[in-house]
Amino acid sequence: MKVALANPEIDGIVLQCLGKTFIAGADILEFGKPPQPPHLPSVLSELQNSPKPIVAALFGTVLGGGFETALSCHYRVALTGTKVGLPEVNLGLIPGAGGTQLLPRVCEVESAIELITSGKHIDIASPQAKGIVDKIVSDDLVLKTIEFAQQVALKQPVIATPLLNVKMGEAEDTIFAQYRAKLAKRARGQQAPQSAIDSIENALNLPFNQGLKKEREYFLSCRESTESAAMRHAFFAEKAAVKYPATLNKIEPLHIEQIAIIGAGTMGGGIAMSFLDRGYPVILVETSEENLARGTSGITERYKKMVLSKRISQEQMDIRLKMMKATCCYDDLHDVDLVIEAAFESMEVKREIFRKLDAVCKPQTILASNTSYLDIEEIAESTARPEKVLGMHFFSPANIMKLLEIVRCKETSETTLISAVALAKHIGKISSVVGMCYGFVGNRMYSCYGREANSLLLEGATPSQIDQAMVDWGMAMGPLAVNDMSGIDIAYNARKENPNLSKNPLYFHAANLMVEAGRLGQKTQKGFYQYDEAGVKSEDPAALAIFQQEAKLHGIPQQEISQAHIQERLIYALINEGAKILEESIAKQASDIDVIWLNGYGFPRYRGGPMFYADTIGLDKVLESIQQFYQVTGKEWWKPSPLLVELAHAGKRFSN
Ligand code: NAD
């Protein structure tokens, strides 16, 4: 740029990038390391203060520091399809090189607030992007940017972006307060989006340089925060989880194209949609024409809603439905590459299905079960191809939830495993490979969390106190409301079928009492809560009376329980079980457990996952509390995990 500025024959500058995109943002690996020259804010200051007009030629994904670079130029021309965004809040940060000061001077303040506090990428042609670019072209980007520079930029006085006024548009000054309140709900518990609002408001009230200085202070304070460390951990943990198993990279995944799903219920329907959405043909199998019709119309209805809400077009819906075939005949499955079984949660049913599949499917076909708890190794024994059997545990609603637990059994071959990992990536899932045990990683830990919620009910906490404590802590929903929603009887029946669970009579006692009283949750309008005709829940004195009576019977004193105690009991139960899962090598690394909790159970991303959260508290402190729970309750399940003891005594962490 210095050369161009010094050359009297050059009147204006076009800033272009080679390769697949304009600058797409910082290398996150550089965070926490000493900054490498040149320092971005100084470079941007030179662009902003250039006496010759600079026009940026944008294409690809223009994000973070790349977008701040573009905003520092005097004009922007973009190729159709260009996306822009300031994704820093996704890492617990705010833009740190002028984004909060420059963007509201270029587009309307409300769009700037939305873009910065959501961290989303938007298409340059969307209404929200109005003002960001001066021209959109469909081809010959550089040539047309030069033309624009000659015809427009060189004919106007050069005005640096920092000298422009903030564009308030229709917005009032109160917009900042409105967004603070909105974000307190939408980004509950997070500091970065609130700091972003403060910084954008400074753009209105302070001269550019002072606003910039303040922005830097907020940025540095966010960068040092636990929130940002947790969100960066989550980012890398997800990358590491899907790389698994790194040592097997040389094995080629099998080509999987035709999928069959057994069972067109809640999960089967959602799993089918996950594949149809990505262009895979799907065969749905049911036990009767009636069940089949119910299953396929469920899928059609879900797609219709997506068309109505403009998430997909009618044409896209039609294409998807055309790729779905429905049958009651297993003989239609001879040529499929993968079968995912999502029938009833019963060992007998699943073994029978796998026996039939083994008989009709070609030898290469992979057979997966979506079971929540059952022993997949036992299911595999009903086939002559145990090396081709594994768990593919989707979460509900399966077409929306990102997580896929891939369960490796003793005999699952590496090719089978790698093929499932590759497929998960193709359908946009975040997968984590785990070993075989009751409930795998997620549900095994969830049962410890639920167990404590159940114990607290007998000790005097009410369902709404427990749920509110966990929502305030950052969980998407409270455990008892979730249980009422999914049906208390489902886990009850699963516990009944499992001979290896705790024999302690107080284990899930409150839930057992609810089921035995016919209170199955929302579907019976009574569970831990009561529900009115509109489905609105409230505390039910009848349920509380059952807990009180039972506490008396077992000599459990009922008392006031603090929010902090509820939170510690539930979260530390997760951590202790997570440590046992690591000890048993059911999860390969602590970050895999975090990925499962962040993507499958509504664990707050700004806390990084249960294992990372334990690290931020300090394992010695976590251990001390767990030891105390063990001593006070005498319950075997509070016995501290030996791995936790070892790491805490060595002053180590779960995460690297
Ligand atoms: P569901 O009752 O909604 O659906 C099961 C379907 O399987 C029914 O439509 C039934 O007709 C069909 N079916 C039963 N036997 C069959 C057979 N032999 N051949 C073909 N179809 C058969 O149950 P769901 O909630 O979809 O759960 C299915 C599986 O997914 C279970 O193993 C469950 O543990 C697991 N799972 C459920 C959830 C959830 O949140 N619901 C989450 C993860 C995993």
Side-chain angles (χ1 to χ4, degrees), residues 33-49:
K33 294 187 186 157
Q36 298 290 320
H39 198 40
L40 184 62
S42 339
V43 174
L44 299 195
S45 166
E46 282 192 35
L47 293 177
Q48 288 155 16
N49 295 315

Side-chain angles (χ1 to χ4, degrees), residues 237-238 240-244 391 393 402-408 417 421 424 429-435 440-441 586-589 591-597 599:
E238 282 165 4
V242 297
K243 269 198 197 129
Y244 184 93
H393 184 216
K402 283 259 179 196
L403 181 64
L404 179 60
E405 266 183 320
I406 296 181
V407 187
R408 165 183 221 158
L417 199 65
V421 170
K429 300 287 180 200
I430 296 175
S431 66
S432 182
V433 175
V434 301
F440 322 123
V441 169
I586 296 294
K588 192 170 70 81
Q589 51 202 356
S591 61
D592 286 355
I593 298 178
D594 289 335
V595 168
I596 288 170
W597 273 79
N599 292 289

Side-chain angles (χ1 to χ4, degrees), residues 91-159:
L91 297 174
L93 299 168
I94 70 162
T100 63
Q101 306 304 296
L102 295 164
L103 188 59
R105 288 176 156 88
V106 168
C107 69
E108 287 191 3
V109 76
E110 182 157 10
S111 301
I113 294 176
E114 218 16 85
L115 203 59
I116 294 172
T117 60
S118 71
K120 287 191 180 140
H121 310 174
I122 56 166
D123 191 286
I124 203 64
S126 67
Q128 217 193 342
K130 195 170 144 233
I132 291 177
V133 292
D134 303 279
K135 190 169 184 178
I136 299 177
V137 299
S138 53
D139 53 15
D140 290 334
L141 174 67
V142 175
L143 213 64
K144 290 188 176 164
T145 307
I146 295 170
E147 268 170 32
F148 176 88
Q150 286 163 338
Q151 288 163 10
V152 181
L154 291 178
K155 300 212 167 125
Q156 316 265 348
V158 179
I159 303 176

Side-chain angles (χ1 to χ4, degrees), residues 265-509:
T266 313
M267 291 307 290
I271 297 170
M273 289 173 78
S274 305
F275 286 101
L276 293 168
D277 290 351
R278 299 292 171 133
Y280 286 86
V282 168
I283 303 179
L284 263 184
V285 185
E286 261 291 351
T287 43
S288 68
E289 291 297 337
E290 193 189 340
N291 287 345
L292 214 45
R294 199 197 50 228
T296 51
S297 77
I299 294 175
T300 309
E301 286 310 310
R302 277 145 95 178
Y303 276 137
K304 273 189 188 158
K305 277 193 189 145
M306 287 167 74
V307 172
L308 273 179
S309 60
K310 297 203 165 35
R311 275 177 290 164
I312 57 170
S313 66
Q314 181 65 45
E315 193 194 353
Q316 284 170 317
M317 167 173 157
D318 296 342
I319 293 173
R320 286 166 205 207
L321 290 178
K322 245 192 216 149
M323 295 183 70
M324 180 172 77
K325 185 178 160 189
T327 181
C328 290
C329 178
Y330 277 67
D331 289 338
D332 290 343
L333 306 185
H334 178 266
D335 288 329
V336 302
D337 303 307
L338 165 73
V339 184
I340 301 175
E341 168 278 315
F344 297 139
E345 185 73 345
S346 146
M347 181 55 82
E348 212 182 311
V349 170
K350 293 196 192 284
R351 277 182 67 99
E352 176 58 16
I353 291 173
F354 273 67
R355 197 188 55 70
K356 278 198 215 161
L357 290 172
D358 193 36
V360 298
C361 296
K362 63 186 179 187
Q364 303 88 312
T365 307
I366 295 177
L367 307 179
S369 175
N370 181 49
T371 176
S372 307
Y373 294 99
L374 296 175
D375 184 344
I376 304 169
E377 285 166 7
E378 197 180 326
I379 299 175
E381 282 169 12
S382 62
T383 74
R385 60 175 94 187
E387 76 289 352
K388 298 244 164 244
V389 177
L390 82 169
M392 288 179 78
H393 184 216
F394 290 77
F395 287 69
S396 182
N399 57 321
I400 294 177
M401 295 292 282
K402 283 259 179 196
L403 181 64
L404 179 60
E405 266 183 320
I406 296 181
V407 187
R408 165 183 221 158
C409 303
K410 267 199 300 281
E411 297 199 46
T412 310
S413 76
E414 292 176 345
T415 306
T416 302
L417 199 65
I418 287 284
S419 305
V421 170
L423 185 67
K425 199 170 169 197
H426 280 146
I427 58 167
K429 300 287 180 200
I430 296 175
S431 66
S432 182
V433 175
V434 301
M436 181 57 227
C437 66
Y438 178 78
F440 322 123
V441 169
N443 283 347
R444 172 170 162 183
M445 287 171 73
Y446 195 80
S447 62
C448 300
Y449 178 81
R451 174 199 79 206
E452 287 312 302
N454 270 261
S455 298
L456 285 163
L457 288 171
L458 297 186
E459 292 168 32
T462 67
S464 57
Q465 278 169 353
I466 295 170
D467 282 345
Q468 196 57 50
M470 299 323 295
V471 169
D472 288 350
W473 192 82
M475 299 297 289
M477 266 178 93
L480 300 168
V482 169
N483 211 192
D484 266 3
M485 196 173 73
S486 56
I488 310 175
D489 54 321
I490 292 180
Y492 174 88
N493 292 333
R495 284 195 297 276
K496 289 261 172 258
E497 276 214 18
N498 186 340
N500 300 321
L501 288 185
S502 169
K503 299 286 179 291
N504 190 314
L506 294 176
Y507 185 71
F508 278 96
H509 192 48

